[in-house]
Amino acid sequence: MTALHRMTLAELSRGLAAGDFSSVELTRHFLDRIAAHDGLLNSFITVTDEAALAAAAAADRRRAAGEAGPLTGIPLAQKDIFNTDGVRTSCGSRMLDNYIAPFDARVVEGFNAAGAVMLGKTNMDEFAMGSSNETSYYGPVKNPWDTERVPGGSSGGSAAAVAARLAPAATGTDTGGSIRQPAALCGITGLKPTYGRVSRWGMIAFASSLDQAGPMAPSAEDCALLLQAMAGFDERDSTCMERPVEDYAAGLGEGIEGLKIGLPKEYFAAGLDAEVEARVREALAVYESLGAELVDITLPNSHLSAPAYYVVAPAECSSNLSRFDGVRFGHRCDDPKDLEDMYCRSRGEGFGDEVKRRILVGTYALSAGYYDAYYLKAQQIRRLIRDDFRRAFEQVDVIMGPTTPTPAFRLGEKADDPISMYLSDIYTIAVNLAGLPGMSVPAGLVNGLPVGLHIVGDYWSEARLLNVAHRLQLETDWHKRIPEAYA
Amino acid sequence: MSLDAEQVAKIAYLARLQIDDAAIPDYARNLSAILDFVEQMNAVDTSGIEPMAHPQDVPQRLRDDVVTEHDQREKFQRIAPATENGLYLVPKVIE
Amino acid sequence: MEWEIVIGLEIHAQLKTRSKIFSGASTAYGAEPNTQACAVDLGLPGVLPVLNREVVRMAAKFGLAIGAEVARKSVFARKNYFYPDLPKGYQISQYELPIVSNGTLTITLDDGSSKVIGVTRAHLEEDAGKSLHEDFHGMTGIDLNRAGTPLLEIVSEPDMRSAKEAVAYMRKIHSLVQYLDICDGNMQEGSFRCDANVSVRPKGQTAFGTRTEIKNINSFRFVERAIHYEAQRQIDLIEDGGEVVQETRLYDPDRNETRSMRTKEEANDYRYFPCPDLLPLVIEPAFIDEVKREMPELPDEKKARFEQDYGLSSYDANVLIASRATADYFEAVVEALDGEAKLVANWMNGELAARLNRDGIEIDAAPVDAVAFAGLLRRITDNTISGKIAKEVFDAMWQGEGGADEIIEARGLKQITDSGALEAIIDEVLANNPSQVEQYRGGQAKLLGYFVGQVMKATQGKANPGQVNQILKQKLDG
């Protein structure tokens, strides 16, 4: 039998159903791998061994009673941004190092109800702000493909854990590319659903109008199974839409003859590494061979995405992070002299530099006299960007391009240059501004490092995206590759 | 857009963030760079364009006026830095 | 120099919903600290607001009642500032697009004249928690039960020109929100709070002077005194060559003065922006129609109707409609008596009001309800007892001794109306007071009262005064 960690989540699910192995066995296998490898990779902040084994045992009992579903007994890792009742939820920050969540996020509830097993909480850029997982209070995460390089961020821990098969799957969140970009740099599949598809209840907010949770796993088929447990209406989230959830696995194998794939000229311009482009074009050739049609399109306001994003996201986060004040939970400084001292020092000590930078930018952008020039302007540009997509989707069914302009960069390479760091999200950001669904799918290697194909769909087209991604994965095996040290 | 140390200090206070004096010049530099970066927005004329606050153009859903939450003080205060007699304690507020 | 005072009022009315504006925690007053502060109210990481329908209904009701526009689309905005009783570090409020705008309220002044006061806007927001500054070893205690309670902030135009006008406006709003059953108006409990914006300018000047804001004045009397003090302070300051500083001041009722608050006003840049966790509130015409259908009769309409249908004086009507509970009580009594509006009005504005005041309670806490009260008054109108005896009976009822009939029976208070019996008693009185009879017949008509008094004494007040008067006159004038 194939080693358990070389099986995709879907294969593990079938294996459990067939009784080839138990959940306890499966869980133990991954816990052992975490123990063996995560010292180097640092992809987990908290490992919940005992609880995981107990949950695995419960899942096996459930299966014996004939009550198992596709995710019952499947171990997975939760990004440390989701509240997990009774378990530390740090959001990668010293501010929440002592925060034991008193409730479960909806995403966690969904997996618990499905009988999945939580292995632990994964490392992430602090408060989801970053593209390299270098801003975490708990230290950087290493890319399993080359441990001197970044895994991407902010869901770097989840991406690395899955890439190294320390977990069959993980959850991530995506505000400007934080699922898709690390998925691309780590050679796994990641999906950011339409804004409003997955409830944000219990998901620590970074930029409320952009954040969305999604699955990260080896394959599109895996992501379909995971999304099924995550999607759905939740009355506790006003921005979560009351829209029925499709069966995401049902249409995975459908043909894609006649699928119109839009290729924005702005995504194949200067700044894109030639080898990355080559891998992307190879993937596009596969689609053509399957009967898809490539159409040149333009998204003329693309170049405004990053500037608009770097106003909207910091503005919203500067407000969202005000609740971290040392009063009711989280870090409080020692011996505060007075209230102001308590606020300033607790927050000064609790937050890292990148978080502070974004809070300052956001505060400035919203401050008296600047609101129109910055925040309002950015929201107007947002509409322009969304309208570009709207026009594009009148011509094409999906839009493709590279997920990132280059493969993984070195640790420390961009740490002093925030702008350069921000530009690594250049292709993914517009999707969050518009609220559209997007995926990254493994498309090959460049100098031994993975690169991703970015696929964007119209609102609520997750099933189609998964189908399109799955079809590529039937023809290629990039999604099955595991870095040698972890194979 | 260039920010000086004084402006940075003011914004830091608005956000109740303590920043070491020694670090302020770096923050000023980085913030100025970011503000320059976002100034690219001005390349396009957006007059008359309705700002887009949400991807979905739907109205706010309303909930029924029913009490659904009950006392969980003990659980919530277990994680609090300082409490007494059910109250959260903070350094005295000068009014 | 003649000065003109310019006043605008900002009133915060707590809406009396069962649950909070954005969460399902209870809004009940008086609970143990932090037992009604759920995850959303505490601002835990990852929580989100969902809007309470009833809050929208109540705001719309208010808007309709003041003839305002109820916005088809309004937006919730975050008002960002740091304070320990504000868990999220921002208050969800409304800024550029409030739910209600451009209404009016007509106030009646002491001289009977009316004045129209503009209501610029009314918007929805969440209340903050409470800080308790009693010493917890030098710390302040924070109770977040109140955090998230819905508030309607009602902002007037700066149309008032005297403290009296301001009080009249405040009273009218106070009465109105209770009429609409959207706020209990309890100022002691903080469910009705008022801030006053005060400025002065030379009479005739059109430009406004610099204004100050006086915060959290919790009674009608304090509002009046605070405004007087502040206006005079500003006038004195300007006349001495100084300038009024735009600031927030606290009224001290013990010293009857306002003091500047030491908060760093300039540091309060609220950085308003639309709350991204909430979508725009859209109110469809159907919703408004439903609210319209459920509108109660408003105070002005009721007063006019009372004057018209019950023949009450403007003064009496005004007192009776001051609170909806009082007006409802009145109508219930009149219905039970099938008339007698004037009698009821007199008794309510007199005896009933006096006892409520003495005991410091509102009419809905009165130990004698409308039905029982009607029972008492009926015994006056059917001559079972006199008005004077009725007061004694009322006292007993108030103490819980039972209904009117029980008490009249138990204490043997029935009025004596039998002419024979009365004649006999009157004859005796006249026989016992021959010199007074002579004086009366000699022209001292005032002595009639003396005889009446004697008859009352002889009958322990139970003789029917009307009959006594009649029979006495007969016998004396013969």
Side-chain angles (χ1 to χ4, degrees), chain B residues 13-16 50 53-54 56 58-73 76-77 79 82 84-95, chain C residues 17-24 33-35 38-39 42 44 50-54 82-84 133 136-143 262 267 271 276 278-280 282:
Chain B
Y13 179 69
L14 261 186
R16 299 299 188 273
E50 178 81 22
H54 275 110
Q56 320 292 356
V58 292
Q60 172 67 30
R61 185 174 16 97
L62 303 176
R63 45 165 258 277
D64 292 336
D65 183 28
V66 176
V67 174
T68 54
E69 300 296 321
H70 304 286
D71 179 15
Q72 284 192 276
R73 183 173 85 187
F76 291 144
Q77 291 197 343
I79 56 171
E84 188 169 309
N85 296 337
L87 295 164
Y88 289 98
L89 293 186
V90 295
K92 207 152 182 71
V93 175
I94 311 157
E95 204 125 84
Chain C
T17 53
R18 282 189 282 259
S19 62
K20 298 194 177 172
I21 183 173
F22 295 118
S23 83
N34 293 305
T35 54
C38 68
L42 292 175
L44 293 184
V50 185
L51 182 60
N52 182 330
R53 179 182 297 108
E54 189 60 20
F82 286 88
Y83 205 70
H133 302 300
F136 291 95
H137 357 276
M139 308 271 270
T140 293
I142 308 291
D143 174 11
R262 271 181 291 150
R271 289 160 275 132
L278 292 167
L279 300 171
V282 172

Side-chain angles (χ1 to χ4, degrees), chain C residues 29-50:
Chain C
Y29 184 82
E32 283 297 298
N34 293 305
T35 54
Q36 285 174 189
C38 68
V40 173
D41 304 324
L42 292 175
L44 293 184
V47 299
L48 296 166
V50 185

